[in-house]
Amino acid sequence: MLHLYNTLTRKIEDFEPINPPKVGMYTCGPTVYDYTHIGHLRKYIGDDILHRLLEVNGFEVNHVMNITDVGHLTSDSDEGDDKLEKGAKDRNLTPEQTARFFEDYFFKSTEVVNIERPNIVARATEHINEQIKLLEKLQEKGFTYTTEHAVYFDISKFSDYGKLSGQKLEEKQVGVRENVVIDPNKKNPQDFALWFFTVGRFASHVMKWPSPFGEGFPGWHIECSAMSMEYLGETLDIHTGGIDHIPVHHTNEIAQSEAATEKQFSKYWVHHNFLIVDGEKMSKSKKNFYTIDDLVEKGFDPIAFRYLILTAHYRDSLNFTYESLTASSHALNNIISEIRAWDSPKLVNSQFWQKFLEAANNDMNTPQALAAMWELIKSDIPSSEKAATILEMDKILGLGLEKYVGKPLEIPEKVQELLNHRENARISGDFKKSDELRHEIKKLGFEIEDTATGSKLKPV
Ligand code: AMP
Ligand code: ZN
């Protein structure tokens, strides 16, 4: 049985969806104003593992992810500019061009690390009506108030407001920065905008829509409540996000959703910890980020990055270094060269498989699951059993091992010939020639590894 840590109850719980075998899963998606970095990818790999794990456990998953292309301000409270409008201005593009370009980059990045696309991808700008409808419902029920600048959610009307973070409101207020008061008529600093009017600082906002409240654009939080309920109903089974979403974004999603429906918004809340660099969160605003293309340029296989992510538990932070990525790359290459030599897959070995699944089902303990996979690799059961078992494991890990299992590396005749020449040059001490041949072989797509038992080839 699958066990998951639920941020809401602060406990590891048995996973029991509302209508088994169906599972409605909602993931907060990217704000598409800049390049996706490997910190984001850590979170989406985590969601992908969860999606795959649910399927292996026999659930039918409907996975919805939003694309934030309007309304997310540079600060999580209501200060700052709209990230999309700012990103567009900086690049001399329209917000729409900016959004489509970076959405595309996001999916290219997720694809190369074997993240499967969610079943439904929903853009905020294409669901304005759903957001307006939800807002009207909140208005009817008396949870909102309107100022010259925005329609706000009044958190004092919602009794359970901090239940996700466990923070008391008074504690949270202490944490609020001494910020510029943008709207003097905002009653409480934690009240959040559901709809901004295109007046004052937003007078020149490009993206705007008519609404019963006045012309403007939605705040960030409302899109996730509106779109998740549109596709998955009023109560979700699982809602996921990064840990940074707990105190504001997800807290606000719960408040507005539960105020509107009077039902629990999501049964389980799963939050992924950060990828950090030199002790700091990797983030677009800090400019300390790498994209997956940066790693590829340095010669790494994107799947080595996926492997690296799996070596840490999703609730722990992970410090990114090129040393650890290199170690993961070696580990992955070792797996590949082992499995190439195996016979074709036959029978799944239930002992190894159970051990692996138990680790994965134990709140997605991927480091333990990888250890179970290595035990299988090193075991002395028939290689056809190893092959069948590792392919089952890979349905969850997503390392794309299928293309290597039982498929010895095919070395072109020309490469083999050059390799023989190089062996001769090496034996006769002609290191200049030997080096030249190494380069020639590399041009043909193979790297030479000199081992104690002779030279081996692997694809570049
Ligand atoms: P954004 O596009 O900034 O809205 O972020 C999209 C998601 O990526 C959010 O759920 C963030 O929590 C997550 N995220 C951003 N930076 C990191 C990081 N360094 N490590 C892990 N997740 C991150
Ligand atoms: Zn969200």
Side-chain angles (χ1 to χ4, degrees), residues 339-404:
I339 65 182
R340 277 188 186 283
W342 290 351
D343 293 333
S344 316
K346 282 220 179 84
L347 205 73
V348 173
N349 179 292
S350 65
Q351 203 189 328
F352 283 103
W353 167 242
Q354 281 311 323
K355 194 162 180 187
F356 174 91
L357 187 62
E358 218 170 276
N361 274 346
N362 176 16
D363 192 30
M364 290 195 278
N365 195 327
T366 52
Q368 239 178 49
L370 283 181
M373 183 177 75
W374 275 105
E375 243 179 78
L376 167 82
I377 294 172
K378 300 239 180 296
S379 74
D380 46 20
I381 62 169
S383 75
S384 61
E385 264 183 56
K386 288 188 189 182
T389 313
I390 208 164
L391 288 180
E392 282 304 300
M393 295 174 173
D394 203 36
K395 283 186 188 155
I396 295 169
L397 301 179
L399 298 171
L401 300 180
E402 197 174 355
K403 53 183 184 286
Y404 307 112

Side-chain angles (χ1 to χ4, degrees), residues 77-80 149 152 176-189 201:
S77 46
D78 295 326
E79 315 160 51
H149 295 276
Y152 291 105
V176 170
R177 278 182 292 138
E178 288 295 318
N179 53 37
V180 208
V181 181
I182 286 162
D183 188 346
N185 294 320
K186 194 168 162 178
K187 290 190 198 160
N188 186 315
R201 67 188 166 129

Side-chain angles (χ1 to χ4, degrees), residues 310-327:
L310 301 181
T311 62
H313 190 261
Y314 77 95
R315 285 196 286 125
D316 293 330
S317 66
L318 171 60
N319 194 31
F320 175 81
T321 62
Y322 276 108
E323 287 74 33
S324 56
L325 181 61
T326 305

